[in-house]
Amino acid sequence: MLLSTKGDYGVRAMIDLAKHEGEGPVQRAEIARRRQIPESYLDHLLAQLRRAGFVRSVRGPGGGHLLAKPAEDICLLHLLEALEGSLAPLQCLDGAETGAEAICGQEWVWQEIYDNMRNKLSSVSLAALVDHEREHERSVTINYSI
Amino acid sequence: MLLSTKGDYGVRAMIDLAKHEGEGPVQRAEIARRRQIPESYLDHLLAQLRRAGFVRSVRGPGGGHLLAKPAEDICLLHLLEALEGSLAPLQCLDGAETGAEAICGQEWVWQEIYDNMRNKLSSVSLAALVDHEREHERSVTINYSI
DNA sequence: GCTATTCACGACCAATCTGGTAGACATTGT
DNA sequence: ACAATGTCTACCAGATTGGTCGTGAATAGC
């Protein structure tokens, strides 16, 4: 599995923040409830997202979390890389050349797949994910907003 | 990382077997030496490949391992799935529907990436990997045959 | 200044996977 | 018989995942 629930949870949380953009800070407990993420685990993910510059937070009553930049300027690739580390399918495509590339014998196959993946993920912004979710809500009964 | 060294090692071993197709059984120790794989670990991988029907083996002196079917009939997708399990980037694309799909919100992005990956991996046979390696050997000094 | 609310951070933990070692055992060619 | 070879099971250390918990720090409202 390329993505663990860490990446999944992190993206869900970011979608939640993006969806409430402009409504003031969103509390961790609210995100956890709406997106079905264990709150204490979400704590770690938000810390990671904050350190990576995607989220800023406000302490104290009425505090919570906010996007650190517009949802249009955050793409899925950068978000997932911040949460999961490199998405390279193979060690030898990792960028950090380890010297093991010559033996592998498959890297020419995977390079193309990796490029395709990165292109696709770069082209999808957080805003697009929110749009997609809103689109989906109109045809399905279940939704995650209050 | 989608692939661990398990998949990498396993494919390397299969390339080695394919390269010596028609020359009788290839011994584990030989594969391990040529492909730089710890022999006792290779043991496990060969067992896995045998159980998956890609390899058959012969005991006793002069014994060793052979491809169970022609290198043209083995594609990288099936090989890697046998070694690594599902290559689905996300749980919700795994085939074994777990009921968590509705929340994820990214599956529409990943489905396309996954399809592309599977198509590419299906189109590459073990024979093609060997061809590619032979091609490469002509331009590089290092090679792994005796 | 007190208090309630909220985030920040680090310690800890269990389960799983990866990568690997070791040894006993089965098979078979000579 | 014996040496070469594969088969199988048990075991192990380290990393990662997916958490929990408790303490502490900031701050809004009173």
Side-chain angles (χ1 to χ4, degrees), chain A residues 31-82:
Chain A
I31 303 173
R33 187 179 55 75
R34 280 197 292 257
R35 302 291 162 165
Q36 301 179 33
I37 305 170
E39 188 179 342
S40 39
Y41 189 42
L42 180 57
D43 188 6
H44 293 321
L45 302 181
L46 285 171
Q48 211 168 329
L49 289 166
R50 185 168 34 76
R51 282 190 294 264
F54 293 110
V55 164
R56 67 190 175 83
S57 45
V58 183
R59 291 188 190 198
H65 300 268
L66 300 147
L67 292 186
K69 45 191 170 184
E72 292 76 25
D73 297 352
I74 300 176
C75 74
L76 198 45
L77 178 65
H78 294 154
L79 205 46
L80 287 173
E81 281 180 345

Side-chain angles (χ1 to χ4, degrees), chain B residues 22-80:
Chain B
E23 303 173 17
V26 182
Q27 286 136 35
R28 197 174 59 190
E30 282 298 287
I31 303 173
R33 186 179 56 75
R34 279 198 294 258
R35 302 291 163 164
Q36 302 179 30
I37 304 170
E39 189 180 342
S40 39
Y41 190 41
L42 180 57
D43 188 7
H44 293 323
L45 303 181
L46 285 172
Q48 210 168 330
L49 289 166
R50 185 166 34 76
R51 282 190 291 266
F54 292 111
V55 165
R56 67 190 174 86
S57 45
V58 182
R59 290 189 190 198
H65 301 268
L66 300 147
L67 292 187
K69 45 191 171 184
E72 292 77 23
D73 298 351
I74 299 175
C75 74
L76 197 47
L77 178 65
H78 294 154
L79 205 45
L80 287 172

Side-chain angles (χ1 to χ4, degrees), chain A residues 110 113, chain B residues 75-78 81 86-89 93-94 111-124:
Chain A
W110 284 100
I113 294 169
Chain B
C75 74
L76 197 47
L77 178 65
H78 294 154
E81 281 181 344
S86 166
L87 300 181
L93 299 180
D94 192 349
Q111 185 66 59
E112 187 182 317
I113 293 169
Y114 189 31
D115 288 346
N116 174 270
M117 183 178 98
R118 291 175 60 88
N119 283 335
K120 181 69 184 173
L121 294 177
S122 290
S123 75
V124 177

Side-chain angles (χ1 to χ4, degrees), chain A residues 5-31:
Chain A
T5 65
K6 185 193 280 188
D8 183 8
Y9 284 170
V11 171
R12 283 195 220 170
M14 289 295 284
I15 291 175
D16 202 81
L17 289 185
K19 208 163 178 181
H20 296 81
E21 214 179 357
E23 304 172 16
V26 181
Q27 287 137 34
R28 197 173 58 190
E30 282 297 287
I31 303 173

